[in-house]
């Protein structure tokens, strides 16, 4: 279905065995990986347009996995913005997956400095293990990773963990359990409100250190309680009148000040 050329894994900087198969061109670095949930929320998908505008301004290319939800939305936004990109697919060139994305894959392969990278030879049907290896290739070929949305113990969460393990710069959009866990592990947390997300993401992409967010006066009690709790985080059970304070906790999460990870325990972002 796609005309490809064989590319040795070592030429891509990969430690995986066997060659890969490239349709189109390999986009130049640096590359930003954008990944996220297949069943993504609309407000998260709406962040991808501004994100790709910042990617273009910063001179990055996009790399993602062509999957449903966040991945394909990022690829579409890159096409609209003229950002060079690479879709890494867990299948053979004659079995593109998912099949409903073939028109988008054709557009990517035809776009300037963009292409499709098939992880397996022709005739290979995708299976669960191939998705994990595809995610590892995405991380290995990226200079930085953005996780837009992730359920706990999901493929997107696993990709974020790989980024931390391989010491890639990692940012997450706060507001989902997997992203909260990644922020608690050291990822940069970005606010989910569009007006706040765009400048925060652009600053992170440019390599600027994020400014420490200040707790508003009405959340001063939470700031003090987090400081007293230390690195283990603040347990919900340790908060006097937790039902009364729940609105404050939700407000702090919305402002990108705290994450709940694990459930029932709150930690300061950054």
């Amino acid at each position: 279905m796609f005309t490809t050329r064989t590319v040795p894994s070592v030429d891509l900087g990969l430690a995986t065995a066997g060659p890969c198969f490239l349709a189109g061109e390999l986009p130049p670095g640096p590359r930003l990986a954008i990944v996220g949930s297949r069943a993504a929320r609309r407000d998260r998908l709406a962040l991808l347009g501004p994100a790709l505008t910042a990617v273009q301004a910063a001179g990055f290319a996009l790399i993602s996995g062509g999957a449903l939800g966040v991945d394909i939305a990022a690829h579409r936004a890159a096409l609209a913005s003229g950002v060079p990109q690479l879709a890494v697919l867990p299948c053979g060139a004659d079995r593109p997956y998912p099949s409903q994305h073939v028109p988008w894959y054709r557009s990517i392969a035809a776009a300037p400095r963009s292409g499709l990278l098939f992880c397996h030879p022709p005739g290979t049907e995708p299976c669960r293990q191939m998705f994990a290896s595809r995610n590892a290739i995405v991380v290995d070929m990226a200079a930085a990773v953005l996780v837009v949305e992730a359920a706990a113990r999901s493929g997107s969460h696993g990709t974020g963990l790989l980024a931390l393990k391989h010491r890639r710069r990692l940012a997450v959009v706060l507001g989902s359990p997997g992203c909260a866990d990644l922020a608690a592990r050291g990822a940069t947390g970005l606010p989910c409100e569009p007006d706040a997300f765009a400048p925060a993401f652009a600053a992170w992409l440019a390599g600027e250190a994020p400014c420490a967010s200040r707790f508003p006066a009405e959340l001063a009690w939470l700031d003090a309680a987090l400081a007293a709790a230390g690195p283990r985080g603040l347990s919900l059970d340790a908060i006097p009148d937790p039902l009364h304070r729940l609105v404050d906790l939700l407000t702090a999460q919305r402002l990108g000040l705290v994450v709940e990870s694990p459930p029932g325990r709150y930690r300061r972002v950054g």
Side-chain angles (χ1 to χ4, degrees):
M1 183 172 290
F2 290 93
T3 301
T4 63
R5 60 183 176 89
T6 303
V7 183
S9 296
V10 67
D11 290 355
L12 300 172
L14 303 174
T16 54
C20 294
F21 303 86
L22 179 67
E25 301 178 47
L26 189 68
R31 305 180 192 97
L32 171 74
I34 297 182
V35 300
S37 300
R38 286 174 170 80
R41 291 157 47 182
R42 289 185 180 179
D43 61 339
R44 296 300 188 270
L45 296 178
L47 301 176
L48 293 171
L52 266 297
T53 298
V55 169
Q56 182 183 47
F60 276 71
L62 169 74
I63 183 169
S64 192
L68 296 166
V70 168
D71 287 22
I72 196 62
H75 288 302
R76 291 198 303 263
L79 286 169
S81 301
V83 173
Q85 60 174 304
L86 184 69
V88 182
L89 306 180
C91 52
D94 59 340
R95 310 285 175 90
Y97 178 88
S99 59
Q100 63 263 44
H101 290 171
V102 166
W104 293 111
Y105 296 156
R106 287 179 177 147
S107 296
I108 293 169
R113 298 182 298 162
S114 299
L116 309 173
L117 189 69
F118 296 92
C119 307
H120 300 277
T124 306
E125 294 280 1
C127 65
R128 177 171 294 183
Q129 292 81 358
M130 293 178 186
F131 292 103
S133 61
R134 183 270 312 275
N135 294 345
I137 290 173
V138 168
V139 171
D140 281 346
M141 295 185 68
V145 179
L146 171 67
V147 181
V148 175
E149 185 177 12
R153 301 178 182 177
S154 63
S156 301
H157 176 252
T159 301
L161 292 176
L162 275 176
L164 291 173
K165 180 179 179 181
H166 290 255
R167 299 185 181 279
R168 299 297 191 268
R169 295 178 57 219
L170 176 65
V172 300
V173 178
L174 298 171
S176 59
C179 288
D181 179 71
L182 293 169
R185 293 172 185 264
T188 298
L190 302 175
C192 58
E193 292 84 355
D195 291 344
F197 168 80
F201 172 67
W204 173 80
L205 196 59
E208 299 175 10
C211 297
S213 299
R214 295 188 177 183
F215 282 68
E218 62 271 20
L219 298 180
W221 73 269
L222 180 56
D223 189 16
L226 288 166
R232 292 189 67 250
L234 177 65
S235 170
L236 188 62
D237 295 335
I239 300 175
D241 194 5
L243 290 178
H244 176 70
R245 296 296 195 182
L246 185 58
V247 172
D248 285 351
L249 290 168
L250 293 174
T251 299
Q253 285 182 285
R254 189 72 180 172
L255 293 173
L257 299 171
V258 302
V259 293
E260 184 183 9
S261 180
R265 188 171 293 275
Y266 292 83
R267 302 171 189 270
R268 190 189 304 270
V269 171

